[in-house]
Amino acid sequence: MNEELKVNASALPRSHLEAGSTENVSTAVSSQTPVVESEPELVVNPWDIVLCTSGTLISCENVVVVLIIFHNPNLRAPMFLLIGSLALADLLAGIGLIVNFVFAYLLQSEATTLVTVGLIVASFSASVCSLLAITVDRYLSLYYALTYNSERTVTFTYVMLVLLWGTSICLGLLPVLGWNCLQDEATCSVVRPLTKNHAAILSVSFLFLFALMLQLYIQICKIVMRHAHQIALQHHFLATSHYVTTRKGVSTLAIILGTFAACWIPFTLYFLIADYTYPSIYTYATLLPATYNSIINPVIYAFRNQEIQKALCLIGCGCVPSSLSQRARSPSDV
Protein backbone atom coordinates (compact mmCIF):
# COMPACT_ATOMS: atom_id res chain seq x y z
CA MET A 1 0.00 0.00 0.00
CA ASN A 2 2.78 2.46 0.83
CA GLU A 3 4.58 1.64 -2.35
CA GLU A 4 1.39 2.41 -4.28
CA LEU A 5 1.13 5.84 -2.68
CA LYS A 6 4.73 6.60 -3.55
CA VAL A 7 4.11 5.70 -7.13
CA ASN A 8 1.01 7.86 -7.28
CA ALA A 9 2.85 10.79 -5.77
CA SER A 10 5.67 10.46 -8.21
CA ALA A 11 3.10 10.43 -10.99
CA LEU A 12 1.98 14.08 -10.32
CA PRO A 13 2.65 16.40 -13.27
CA ARG A 14 6.18 17.81 -13.02
CA SER A 15 5.09 21.13 -14.56
CA HIS A 16 2.65 21.71 -11.70
CA LEU A 17 5.36 21.29 -9.12
CA GLU A 18 7.73 23.63 -10.95
CA ALA A 19 5.04 26.29 -11.27
CA GLY A 20 4.29 26.15 -7.58
CA SER A 21 7.93 26.39 -6.62
CA THR A 22 8.50 29.25 -9.06
CA GLU A 23 5.58 31.19 -7.55
CA ASN A 24 6.89 30.68 -4.04
CA VAL A 25 10.37 31.90 -5.04
CA SER A 26 9.00 35.01 -6.76
CA THR A 27 6.87 35.78 -3.72
CA ALA A 28 9.87 35.44 -1.43
CA VAL A 29 12.02 37.61 -3.63
CA SER A 30 9.37 40.32 -3.92
CA SER A 31 8.95 40.38 -0.16
CA GLN A 32 12.68 40.92 0.32
CA THR A 33 13.12 43.59 -2.40
CA PRO A 34 13.02 47.14 -0.85
CA VAL A 35 10.26 49.41 -2.16
CA VAL A 36 11.64 52.68 -3.54
CA GLU A 37 9.26 55.58 -2.68
CA SER A 38 9.28 58.58 -5.00
CA GLU A 39 9.87 61.95 -3.31
CA PRO A 40 6.90 64.35 -3.44
CA GLU A 41 7.25 67.18 -5.91
CA LEU A 42 7.88 70.66 -4.49
CA VAL A 43 4.82 72.82 -5.11
CA VAL A 44 5.43 76.56 -4.82
CA ASN A 45 2.56 78.82 -3.84
CA PRO A 46 2.15 81.59 -6.48
CA TRP A 47 1.37 84.09 -3.71
CA ASP A 48 4.76 83.37 -2.14
CA ILE A 49 6.42 84.08 -5.49
CA VAL A 50 4.63 87.43 -5.69
CA LEU A 51 5.72 88.30 -2.13
CA CYS A 52 9.31 87.33 -2.91
CA THR A 53 9.22 89.47 -6.06
CA SER A 54 7.84 92.37 -4.02
CA GLY A 55 10.67 91.88 -1.51
CA THR A 56 13.25 91.96 -4.30
CA LEU A 57 11.87 95.24 -5.67
CA ILE A 58 11.75 96.74 -2.17
CA SER A 59 15.39 95.79 -1.57
CA CYS A 60 16.63 97.18 -4.89
CA GLU A 61 14.88 100.53 -4.38
CA ASN A 62 15.83 101.13 -0.79
CA VAL A 63 19.43 100.00 -1.02
CA VAL A 64 19.98 102.90 -3.44
CA VAL A 65 18.59 105.38 -0.90
CA VAL A 66 20.62 103.90 1.96
CA LEU A 67 23.87 104.03 -0.03
CA ILE A 68 23.25 107.61 -1.19
CA ILE A 69 22.58 108.90 2.34
CA PHE A 70 25.40 106.85 3.88
CA HIS A 71 28.09 107.92 1.40
CA ASN A 72 27.05 111.57 1.01
CA PRO A 73 28.36 113.70 3.91
CA ASN A 74 26.03 116.56 2.92
CA LEU A 75 22.99 114.44 3.82
CA ARG A 76 23.37 114.46 7.60
CA ALA A 77 20.46 116.72 8.55
CA PRO A 78 17.73 115.25 10.80
CA MET A 79 15.36 114.92 7.84
CA PHE A 80 17.83 112.74 5.92
CA LEU A 81 18.62 110.63 8.98
CA LEU A 82 14.92 109.80 9.28
CA ILE A 83 14.60 109.09 5.55
CA GLY A 84 17.64 106.83 5.87
CA SER A 85 16.00 105.05 8.81
CA LEU A 86 12.86 104.50 6.73
CA ALA A 87 14.90 103.19 3.78
CA LEU A 88 16.91 100.86 6.04
CA ALA A 89 13.74 99.48 7.64
CA ASP A 90 12.14 98.87 4.23
CA LEU A 91 15.38 97.29 2.97
CA LEU A 92 15.36 94.84 5.89
CA ALA A 93 11.68 94.12 5.22
CA GLY A 94 12.46 93.28 1.60
CA ILE A 95 15.34 91.02 2.65
CA GLY A 96 13.04 89.37 5.19
CA LEU A 97 10.46 88.53 2.50
CA ILE A 98 13.17 87.01 0.30
CA VAL A 99 14.74 85.00 3.14
CA ASN A 100 11.32 83.80 4.28
CA PHE A 101 10.62 82.46 0.77
CA VAL A 102 13.99 80.66 0.60
CA PHE A 103 13.70 79.11 4.06
CA ALA A 104 10.07 78.09 3.55
CA TYR A 105 10.91 75.91 0.55
CA LEU A 106 14.56 74.94 1.06
CA LEU A 107 15.26 74.93 4.80
CA GLN A 108 12.10 74.30 6.76
CA SER A 109 12.54 74.40 10.53
CA GLU A 110 10.99 76.07 13.54
CA ALA A 111 14.12 78.12 14.23
CA THR A 112 14.29 79.63 10.73
CA THR A 113 10.57 80.38 10.82
CA LEU A 114 10.89 82.27 14.11
CA VAL A 115 13.93 84.24 12.93
CA THR A 116 12.47 85.27 9.55
CA VAL A 117 9.06 86.22 10.97
CA GLY A 118 10.79 88.17 13.73
CA LEU A 119 12.88 90.02 11.14
CA ILE A 120 9.78 90.89 9.09
CA VAL A 121 7.86 92.10 12.15
CA ALA A 122 10.77 94.21 13.40
CA SER A 123 11.51 95.77 9.99
CA PHE A 124 7.91 96.63 9.12
CA SER A 125 7.40 98.02 12.64
CA ALA A 126 10.51 100.19 12.17
CA SER A 127 9.17 101.32 8.78
CA VAL A 128 5.84 102.47 10.25
CA CYS A 129 7.56 104.12 13.22
CA SER A 130 9.98 105.90 10.87
CA LEU A 131 7.01 107.28 8.94
CA LEU A 132 5.64 108.65 12.20
CA ALA A 133 9.05 110.14 13.05
CA ILE A 134 9.20 111.84 9.63
CA THR A 135 5.73 113.25 10.23
CA VAL A 136 6.80 114.60 13.63
CA ASP A 137 9.93 116.11 12.07
CA ARG A 138 7.92 117.84 9.35
CA TYR A 139 5.52 119.24 11.89
CA LEU A 140 8.37 120.59 14.04
CA SER A 141 10.14 122.08 11.01
CA LEU A 142 7.03 124.12 10.22
CA TYR A 143 5.83 124.91 13.72
CA TYR A 144 9.30 125.85 15.06
CA ALA A 145 10.74 127.16 11.81
CA LEU A 146 13.12 129.65 13.45
CA THR A 147 14.69 127.24 15.95
CA TYR A 148 14.39 123.99 13.96
CA ASN A 149 18.04 123.91 12.80
CA SER A 150 19.40 123.96 16.34
CA GLU A 151 21.37 121.28 18.13
CA ARG A 152 18.26 120.39 20.11
CA THR A 153 16.57 119.15 16.94
CA VAL A 154 19.49 116.84 16.15
CA THR A 155 19.43 115.41 19.67
CA PHE A 156 15.67 114.90 19.50
CA THR A 157 16.07 113.09 16.17
CA TYR A 158 18.62 110.66 17.61
CA VAL A 159 16.32 110.01 20.58
CA MET A 160 13.45 109.21 18.20
CA LEU A 161 15.67 106.84 16.21
CA VAL A 162 16.80 104.98 19.33
CA LEU A 163 13.24 104.65 20.61
CA LEU A 164 11.69 103.52 17.34
CA TRP A 165 14.38 100.94 16.58
CA GLY A 166 14.45 99.71 20.17
CA THR A 167 10.68 99.22 20.20
CA SER A 168 10.71 97.53 16.78
CA ILE A 169 13.48 95.12 17.76
CA CYS A 170 11.60 94.19 20.95
CA LEU A 171 8.45 93.43 18.92
CA GLY A 172 10.47 91.32 16.52
CA LEU A 173 12.12 89.35 19.34
CA LEU A 174 8.83 88.32 20.95
CA PRO A 175 8.32 85.20 18.74
CA VAL A 176 11.96 84.14 19.23
CA LEU A 177 11.75 84.56 23.02
CA GLY A 178 8.78 82.19 23.26
CA TRP A 179 5.71 84.23 22.43
CA ASN A 180 4.63 81.99 19.54
CA CYS A 181 2.00 79.39 18.75
CA LEU A 182 4.28 76.49 17.78
CA GLN A 183 3.19 74.50 20.85
CA ASP A 184 -0.50 75.42 20.65
CA GLU A 185 -1.99 75.83 17.18
CA ALA A 186 -5.26 77.14 18.64
CA THR A 187 -3.53 80.39 19.65
CA CYS A 188 -2.15 81.10 16.16
CA SER A 189 -3.02 84.24 14.24
CA VAL A 190 -3.33 84.46 10.46
CA VAL A 191 0.48 84.75 10.32
CA ARG A 192 2.04 81.67 11.86
CA PRO A 193 3.80 81.48 14.34
CA LEU A 194 2.53 84.83 15.71
CA THR A 195 -0.11 84.46 18.41
CA LYS A 196 -3.45 86.25 18.37
CA ASN A 197 -2.31 88.35 21.35
CA HIS A 198 0.82 89.39 19.45
CA ALA A 199 -1.34 90.26 16.45
CA ALA A 200 -3.68 92.32 18.62
CA ILE A 201 -0.77 94.33 20.07
CA LEU A 202 0.66 95.04 16.62
CA SER A 203 -2.71 95.99 15.14
CA VAL A 204 -3.78 98.28 17.99
CA SER A 205 -0.34 99.93 18.04
CA PHE A 206 -0.55 100.58 14.31
CA LEU A 207 -4.04 102.10 14.57
CA PHE A 208 -2.80 104.35 17.37
CA LEU A 209 0.19 105.49 15.27
CA PHE A 210 -2.05 106.10 12.29
CA ALA A 211 -4.42 108.24 14.38
CA LEU A 212 -1.42 110.24 15.64
CA MET A 213 -0.12 110.72 12.09
CA LEU A 214 -3.55 111.84 10.94
CA GLN A 215 -3.73 114.45 13.68
CA LEU A 216 -0.22 115.71 12.87
CA TYR A 217 -0.98 115.97 9.15
CA ILE A 218 -4.12 117.96 9.90
CA GLN A 219 -2.00 120.40 11.89
CA ILE A 220 0.58 120.48 9.08
CA CYS A 221 -2.17 121.32 6.59
CA LYS A 222 -3.27 124.24 8.74
CA ILE A 223 0.30 125.54 8.99
CA VAL A 224 0.87 125.16 5.24
CA MET A 225 -2.32 127.06 4.46
CA ARG A 226 -1.37 129.82 6.88
CA HIS A 227 2.18 130.09 5.47
CA ALA A 228 0.91 130.11 1.89
CA HIS A 229 -1.53 132.89 2.77
CA GLN A 230 1.23 134.97 4.41
CA ILE A 231 3.53 134.50 1.40
CA ALA A 232 0.73 135.51 -0.92
CA LEU A 233 0.13 138.73 1.05
CA GLN A 234 3.84 139.61 1.18
CA HIS A 235 4.38 139.17 -2.55
CA HIS A 236 0.95 140.49 -3.54
CA PHE A 237 0.05 137.27 -5.32
CA LEU A 238 -3.34 136.89 -6.87
CA ALA A 239 -5.92 134.87 -5.02
CA THR A 240 -5.70 132.19 -7.72
CA SER A 241 -1.98 131.66 -7.12
CA HIS A 242 -2.55 131.41 -3.39
CA TYR A 243 -5.28 128.84 -3.98
CA VAL A 244 -3.14 126.75 -6.34
CA THR A 245 -0.16 126.71 -3.97
CA THR A 246 -2.27 125.75 -0.98
CA ARG A 247 -4.15 123.09 -2.89
CA LYS A 248 -0.89 121.54 -4.07
CA GLY A 249 0.46 121.33 -0.52
CA VAL A 250 -2.74 119.83 0.87
CA SER A 251 -2.96 117.39 -2.05
CA THR A 252 0.58 116.20 -1.39
CA LEU A 253 -0.23 115.50 2.25
CA ALA A 254 -3.47 113.75 1.28
CA ILE A 255 -1.61 111.50 -1.16
CA ILE A 256 1.00 110.61 1.46
CA LEU A 257 -1.51 109.76 4.17
CA GLY A 258 -4.02 108.16 1.78
CA THR A 259 -1.37 105.87 0.30
CA PHE A 260 -0.23 104.82 3.75
CA ALA A 261 -3.80 104.07 4.87
CA ALA A 262 -4.74 102.19 1.68
CA CYS A 263 -1.69 99.95 2.00
CA TRP A 264 -1.84 99.12 5.71
CA ILE A 265 -5.40 99.50 7.01
CA PRO A 266 -6.88 96.38 5.27
CA PHE A 267 -4.20 94.05 6.62
CA THR A 268 -4.26 95.66 10.08
CA LEU A 269 -8.00 95.17 10.50
CA TYR A 270 -7.89 91.63 9.11
CA PHE A 271 -4.89 90.82 11.30
CA LEU A 272 -6.87 92.01 14.33
CA ILE A 273 -10.13 90.09 13.80
CA ALA A 274 -9.07 86.91 11.97
CA ASP A 275 -7.36 83.74 13.21
CA TYR A 276 -5.62 80.70 11.78
CA THR A 277 -8.90 79.09 10.65
CA TYR A 278 -9.49 81.77 7.99
CA PRO A 279 -8.45 80.92 4.39
CA SER A 280 -4.85 81.90 3.67
CA ILE A 281 -5.83 83.67 0.45
CA TYR A 282 -7.30 86.51 2.54
CA THR A 283 -4.00 86.88 4.38
CA TYR A 284 -2.04 87.09 1.14
CA ALA A 285 -4.56 89.49 -0.44
CA THR A 286 -4.24 91.95 2.45
CA LEU A 287 -0.54 91.49 3.21
CA LEU A 288 0.62 92.11 -0.36
CA PRO A 289 -0.69 95.73 -0.51
CA ALA A 290 1.05 96.38 2.83
CA THR A 291 4.36 95.45 1.22
CA TYR A 292 3.64 97.90 -1.60
CA ASN A 293 3.96 100.72 0.91
CA SER A 294 7.67 99.93 1.19
CA ILE A 295 7.90 100.17 -2.61
CA ILE A 296 6.16 103.56 -2.65
CA ASN A 297 8.07 105.06 0.30
CA PRO A 298 11.31 105.79 -1.60
CA VAL A 299 9.32 107.57 -4.32
CA ILE A 300 7.43 109.77 -1.84
CA TYR A 301 10.09 110.51 0.76
CA ALA A 302 13.46 110.10 -1.00
CA PHE A 303 13.34 110.47 -4.77
CA ARG A 304 11.14 113.60 -4.55
CA ASN A 305 13.74 115.30 -2.37
CA GLN A 306 15.85 117.85 -4.23
CA GLU A 307 19.14 116.98 -2.50
CA ILE A 308 18.73 113.25 -3.14
CA GLN A 309 17.83 114.00 -6.76
CA LYS A 310 21.09 115.94 -7.09
CA ALA A 311 23.03 113.02 -5.61
CA LEU A 312 21.37 110.61 -8.04
CA CYS A 313 22.22 112.86 -10.98
CA LEU A 314 25.84 113.10 -9.86
CA ILE A 315 26.05 109.31 -9.63
CA GLY A 316 24.27 108.76 -12.93
CA CYS A 317 25.73 111.39 -15.24
CA GLY A 318 28.19 113.37 -13.12
CA CYS A 319 26.26 116.63 -13.39
CA VAL A 320 23.28 118.44 -11.83
CA PRO A 321 20.53 119.72 -14.15
CA SER A 322 19.89 123.44 -13.94
CA SER A 323 16.23 122.77 -13.21
CA LEU A 324 17.25 121.15 -9.91
CA SER A 325 19.89 123.68 -8.88
CA GLN A 326 17.58 126.65 -9.48
CA ARG A 327 14.38 125.27 -8.05
CA ALA A 328 13.22 126.94 -4.86
CA ARG A 329 11.42 125.19 -2.04
CA SER A 330 7.71 126.03 -1.83
CA PRO A 331 5.19 125.50 0.93
CA SER A 332 3.90 122.47 -0.93
CA ASP A 333 7.21 120.68 -0.53
CA VAL A 334 6.33 119.10 2.78
Side-chain angles (χ1 to χ4, degrees), residues 14-314:
R14 187 174 182 83
S15 60
H16 179 74
L17 293 174
E18 291 177 352
S21 62
T22 304
E23 183 178 355
N24 292 336
V25 171
S26 63
T27 303
V29 172
S30 63
S31 64
Q32 296 176 1
T33 304
V35 178
V36 179
E37 298 181 356
S38 59
E39 295 183 359
E41 295 183 358
L42 180 64
V43 180
V44 180
N45 189 337
W47 285 99
D48 288 332
I49 297 178
V50 176
L51 281 176
C52 183
T53 304
S54 178
T56 304
L57 184 57
I58 290 170
S59 302
C60 292
E61 273 190 316
N62 288 280
V63 73
V64 174
V65 180
V66 171
L67 291 177
I68 288 175
I69 294 178
F70 180 77
H71 286 287
N72 195 332
N74 296 325
L75 304 179
R76 294 294 182 267
M79 174 179 60
F80 295 111
L81 293 177
L82 296 175
I83 292 176
S85 172
L86 175 63
L88 178 61
D90 288 334
L91 173 61
L92 293 176
I95 294 174
L97 292 175
I98 298 172
V99 172
N100 181 68
F101 176 83
V102 174
F103 283 171
Y105 291 97
L106 299 180
L107 187 61
Q108 298 181 2
S109 67
E110 292 184 355
T112 57
T113 300
L114 292 174
V115 171
T116 53
V117 171
L119 173 61
I120 293 174
V121 169
S123 55
F124 276 124
S125 298
S127 177
V128 174
C129 291
S130 295
L131 290 175
L132 175 63
I134 291 174
T135 306
V136 172
D137 178 73
R138 289 180 169 181
Y139 171 77
L140 295 178
S141 66
L142 294 173
Y143 191 80
Y144 300 102
L146 298 178
T147 60
Y148 172 74
N149 294 320
S150 63
E151 186 66 27
R152 186 178 61 178
T153 303
V154 178
T155 303
F156 180 72
T157 301
Y158 280 113
V159 171
M160 284 197 299
L161 289 174
V162 171
L163 289 177
L164 74 89
W165 279 100
T167 303
S168 301
I169 292 173
C170 290
L171 291 174
L173 287 176
L174 288 179
V176 181
L177 295 178
W179 201 358
N180 57 69
C181 64
L182 294 179
Q183 304 301 325
D184 187 5
E185 293 289 336
T187 62
C188 283
S189 65
V190 294
V191 178
R192 191 178 181 276
L194 300 182
T195 64
K196 288 185 288 187
N197 292 334
H198 196 174
I201 290 176
L202 292 174
S203 299
V204 172
S205 300
F206 171 83
L207 293 175
F208 173 77
L209 294 180
F210 177 74
L212 186 57
M213 288 178 62
L214 179 61
Q215 179 62 28
L216 286 173
Y217 271 121
I218 291 175
Q219 298 300 321
I220 290 174
C221 284
K222 294 180 179 179
I223 297 174
V224 168
M225 294 175 65
R226 185 167 66 249
H227 285 186
H229 179 68
Q230 292 174 353
I231 293 174
L233 292 178
Q234 291 175 2
H235 294 81
H236 304 288
F237 288 160
L238 296 176
T240 304
S241 301
H242 163 67
Y243 172 75
V244 170
T245 303
T246 305
R247 186 183 64 179
K248 183 180 178 181
V250 174
S251 298
T252 301
L253 296 176
I255 292 173
I256 293 173
L257 193 62
T259 302
F260 178 71
C263 291
W264 275 106
I265 290 295
F267 176 72
T268 302
L269 296 178
Y270 179 75
F271 198 38
L272 180 62
I273 63 176
D275 56 29
Y276 73 101
T277 60
Y278 282 58
S280 61
I281 187 174
Y282 297 147
T283 304
Y284 284 111
T286 53
L287 177 60
L288 190 60
T291 64
Y292 290 161
N293 185 243
S294 296
I295 299 176
I296 299 172
N297 283 340
V299 178
I300 294 178
Y301 296 95
F303 298 140
R304 287 178 65 250
N305 184 274
Q306 183 178 352
E307 298 300 324
I308 294 180
Q309 288 178 5
K310 290 180 181 179
L312 282 173
C313 291
L314 288 173

